[in-house]
Amino acid sequence: MSDAPRLQVAAQFAARRPWVPAATALRRWALAAHRAAVARLPRARRSAVPADATVCIRIVGAAASRRLNAGYRGKDKPTNVLSFPAAPVEREIDGSLGDLVVCAPVVAAEAREQRKARAEHWAHMVVHGVLHLHGYDHGSSRQARVMEALEVEILRGFGYQDPYRPVTSPNHER
């Protein structure tokens, strides 16, 4: 039996357009982020992570993202990804890390504007969100450096480019 952290991912599709990756891709990206986050925990804190953790990734349209962003963050606009960490009691009882809400139209627009491959940008959003569920943040420059370095490392494991470097090649997927 493997000691690698496991992660059950429930994928919910309230929106499928513009382009949205399959549930298998969402699961693969989430698992990689989960394993990387757990691996960086001090050994004594790893036992606090449920052996069979769960996360829900819900794909939504702009209106739903806007409502959630306004209600929870006070920002009246849709956003790429929202992370809702589970309460400590939820983690303990059912292994939930929390929920991610990804806005398909915002992610698609960002990928186009930033000239990034859609799959790579989606992977970045899922990885970014899962790291938030593990307590990573980017509120300070130090926190941002730590979180971004881990994101880059995880994404490189899939053969993806550094999401924080501008794309210079015109040969990207649209």
Side-chain angles (χ1 to χ4, degrees), residues 54-67:
T54 63
V55 66
C56 177
I57 302 175
R58 183 166 177 81
I59 311 303
V60 300
S65 177
R66 181 180 182 174
R67 279 192 304 276

Side-chain angles (χ1 to χ4, degrees), residues 157-168:
F158 292 105
Y160 295 157
Q161 299 294 315
D162 177 343
Y164 296 102
R165 296 192 87 149
V167 174
T168 55

Side-chain angles (χ1 to χ4, degrees), residues 2-93:
S2 172
D3 287 342
R6 295 181 302 274
L7 183 67
Q8 295 270 332
V9 178
Q12 301 176 348
F13 297 91
R16 287 199 182 263
R17 300 215 180 203
W19 184 84
V20 173
T24 53
L26 298 172
R27 288 183 184 105
R28 198 171 52 246
W29 299 326
L31 178 59
H34 174 64
R35 286 185 172 162
V38 171
R40 277 151 186 80
L41 287 173
R43 195 173 292 279
R45 288 193 39 221
R46 287 184 197 164
S47 62
V49 177
D52 289 312
T54 63
V55 66
C56 177
I57 302 175
R58 183 166 177 81
I59 311 303
V60 300
S65 177
R66 181 180 182 174
R67 279 192 304 276
L68 289 167
N69 203 23
Y72 288 94
R73 297 177 63 227
K75 298 182 179 187
D76 191 23
K77 63 180 184 174
T79 189
N80 51 21
V81 63
L82 291 166
S83 301
F84 297 97
V89 70
E90 287 178 288
R91 282 183 182 241
E92 187 177 321
I93 291 172

Side-chain angles (χ1 to χ4, degrees), residues 27-155:
R27 288 183 184 105
R28 198 171 52 246
W29 299 326
L31 178 59
H34 174 64
R35 286 185 172 162
V38 171
R40 277 151 186 80
L41 287 173
R43 195 173 292 279
R45 288 193 39 221
R46 287 184 197 164
S47 62
V49 177
D52 289 312
T54 63
V55 66
C56 177
I57 302 175
R58 183 166 177 81
I59 311 303
V60 300
S65 177
R66 181 180 182 174
R67 279 192 304 276
L68 289 167
N69 203 23
Y72 288 94
R73 297 177 63 227
K75 298 182 179 187
D76 191 23
K77 63 180 184 174
T79 189
N80 51 21
V81 63
L82 291 166
S83 301
F84 297 97
V89 70
E90 287 178 288
R91 282 183 182 241
E92 187 177 321
I93 291 172
D94 67 9
S96 177
L97 295 178
D99 302 325
L100 299 181
V101 177
V102 185
C103 181
V106 170
V107 174
E110 288 176 347
R112 275 191 311 276
E113 291 163 9
Q114 297 169 20
R115 299 179 55 216
K116 293 179 180 175
R118 293 178 295 214
E120 290 188 26
H121 194 51
W122 271 93
H124 182 211
M125 293 302 96
V126 171
V127 166
H128 185 87
V130 170
L131 291 180
H132 273 308
L133 296 180
H134 276 283
Y136 284 83
D137 203 353
H138 42 80
S140 72
S141 59
R142 182 186 177 287
Q143 290 174 323
R145 280 192 308 275
V146 168
M147 185 174 184
E148 290 171 9
L150 185 51
E151 289 171 345
V152 168
E153 180 183 322
I154 295 163
L155 294 169

